[in-house]
Amino acid sequence: MRIDDLPIRDDLRGQTPYGAPQLDVAVRLNTNENSYPLPDDVVEAIGKAVQGELRDLNRYPDRDAMALRTVLADYLGHGLSPANVWAANGSNEVQQQLLQAFGGPGRKALGFGPSYSMHPLLALGTGTDWIGALRDPDFGLDPVAAVAQIEEHDPDLVFLCSPNNPTGTALDPEVIAAVLDRARGVVIVDEAYAEFARAGTPSALTLLPEHPRLIVSRTMSKAFGFAGGRLGYFAAHPAVVEAVQLVRLPYHLSALTQAAARAAVAQRDALLATVEAIKEQRDRIVDTLRERGYRVADSDANFVLFAVSPGEASGNQKVTWQRLLDRGVLIRDVGLPGWLRVTAGTPAETDAFLEALG
Ligand SMILES: *Cc1c(COP(=O)(O)O)cnc(C)c1O
């Protein structure tokens, strides 16, 4: 029996699941993880926190994760309180809950591609129509073009991504402001890479007080190096938090996840200590590729998007991707003809990537 033989939903027929390759190679620079393992003292602190929960695993965890939301609000600053913050198993789950509450059958979500491939997949899974609006050919987005596409489609949700994955560049705050002024629905700004932004790049968190339909999505998967821990969160008006509580599964965040994440946030100085080193490698990749004649998008993230053929209009990214893999370097083909994305990791990983590409 195959999928198509099942009485599966019509809108899921012929679809392919999210599938970034998970391959066992020496240099893995394809999913924008933090390449640095957790420091020993953080490992110990998380271990203790998890240990402290074990006797009580006979009980359900705090459904509302209040203690965790308190430390996350404190981390975000901007005068936010726990009532403004919601957490789930990764920002993917956070965004799925937002689509469950604000999207669904008969409703529309709009995003500006190329952007994060999970936004349309989460819309699909929740029965929300996806409108693939477009960025400029150079991957920029200006306020006039953004607003025109919103007026044309009148979506219930708008996804913005800043810094944008896979292009790496942060949005001009004017775009976010213009979209907030025009959009009727909620506006989600996915700031998964906020901690890596170049100096002077403001977070959409600064816009929250004036915009009750703005939702800023964050994650511990990237800068915090906590991808395996699965913890994402958002900041918004308290009414938005109440709205997602209507659709979340009760006890969606296990006691172990909550305890581990609380301990990780408490150790944030040690965890975020790698951010500067990663930004250095990011800038080194950008500079070196430009010196070699490649077209490279400006990056505020921990990855770099580059055109695979220096000097040529377009190269075949699939060939370059495979040849790098043959040399033990796994990077990401995001399905953008002629372009590939590479994560900035350790200096040794950058060495391996640059040498293999050469
Ligand atoms: C990596 C990434 C995430 C992280 O998702 P989690 O579920 O929190 O691991 C979210 N948004 C974007 C744009 C990303 O690139």
Side-chain angles (χ1 to χ4, degrees):
M1 188 171 76
R2 296 174 321 125
I3 287 186
D4 277 344
D5 302 321
L6 289 167
I8 192 173
R9 274 162 43 185
D10 290 338
D11 60 348
L12 296 180
R13 283 186 197 280
Q15 300 283 347
T16 40
Y18 176 88
Q22 292 192 299
L23 303 177
D24 189 15
V25 296
V27 181
R28 281 183 291 171
L29 300 174
N30 74 325
T31 49
N32 300 339
E33 293 152 326
N34 187 321
S35 286
Y36 292 92
L38 278 59
D40 287 344
D41 43 347
V42 179
V43 170
E44 203 169 305
I46 294 176
K48 268 198 196 129
V50 169
Q51 180 78 31
E53 298 294 322
L54 298 179
R55 264 186 68 85
D56 296 325
L57 284 184
N58 57 314
R59 299 291 178 189
Y60 283 115
D62 175 7
R63 260 192 316 265
D64 297 330
M66 283 310 298
L68 174 59
R69 286 161 59 198
T70 303
V71 296
L72 289 169
D74 176 61
Y75 166 64
L76 289 178
H78 289 83
L80 294 166
S81 78
N84 296 109
V85 175
W86 181 249
N89 296 283
S91 50
N92 277 231
E93 185 180 19
V94 159
Q95 293 172 18
Q96 182 181 55
Q97 291 173 340
L98 289 167
L99 279 156
Q100 288 175 319
F102 297 103
R107 291 184 165 226
K108 296 181 274 193
L110 179 149
F112 299 90
S115 193
Y116 187 40
S117 62
M118 279 309 297
H119 296 157
L121 279 176
L122 293 167
L124 172 71
T126 57
T128 312
D129 278 340
W130 178 255
I131 296 162
L134 291 176
R135 303 170 80 90
D136 312 336
D138 68 354
F139 307 135
L141 185 62
D142 73 76
V144 177
V147 164
Q149 299 188 76
I150 284 167
E151 286 183 342
E152 183 185 343
H153 298 287
D154 192 31
D156 299 280
L157 301 94
V158 177
F159 280 88
L160 297 172
C161 192
S162 182
N164 186 47
N165 178 8
T167 58
T169 320
L171 275 178
D172 181 345
E174 302 231 320
V175 176
I176 301 173
V179 167
L180 282 165
D181 281 346
R182 276 316 165 87
R184 169 181 56 80
V186 295
V187 177
I188 300 165
V189 182
D190 187 337
E191 290 194 346
Y193 301 97
E195 287 90 349
F196 297 105
R198 289 171 294 179
T201 310
S203 164
L205 293 172
T206 58
L207 301 169
L208 277 175
E210 287 105 76
H211 295 282
R213 285 177 291 104
L214 168 64
I215 302 160
V216 182
S217 173
R218 294 284 190 103
T219 182
M220 293 180 67
S221 294
K222 307 290 160 58
F224 274 88
F226 201 66
R230 306 307 299 130
L231 202 291
Y233 54 106
F234 72 67
H237 190 280
V240 176
V241 174
E242 289 174 34
V244 294
Q245 286 174 331
L246 298 172
V247 297
R248 62 91 190 275
L249 296 173
Y251 319 113
H252 67 295
L253 271 181
S254 81
L256 306 179
T257 301
Q258 293 186 40
R262 283 197 309 269
V265 177
Q267 299 286 322
R268 67 201 191 210
D269 289 346
L271 286 173
L272 297 176
T274 58
V275 166
E276 284 309 313
I278 291 166
K279 285 164 71 176
E280 268 175 40
Q281 295 310 306
R282 182 244 349 251
D283 293 340
R284 182 181 156 212
I285 294 171
V286 171
D287 294 344
T288 308
L289 293 185
R290 284 185 177 154
E291 279 162 22
R292 292 186 190 174
Y294 287 89
R295 277 174 68 201
V296 183
D298 289 333
S299 179
D300 291 293
N302 66 340
F303 57 84
V304 175
L305 187 76
F306 64 100
V308 295
S309 300
E312 279 173 46
S314 86
N316 186 336
Q317 84 281 0
K318 292 190 180 125
V319 173
T320 308
W321 182 86
Q322 184 60 53
R323 287 187 178 169
L324 287 168
L325 185 57
D326 294 344
R327 286 162 179 76
V329 178
L330 176 63
I331 68 169
R332 189 71 175 277
D333 179 357
V334 293
L336 205 54
W339 297 79
L340 288 172
R341 191 194 71 192
V342 60
T343 305
T346 64
E349 287 171 331
T350 305
D351 291 345
F353 162 69
L354 290 173
E355 192 186 314
L357 189 69

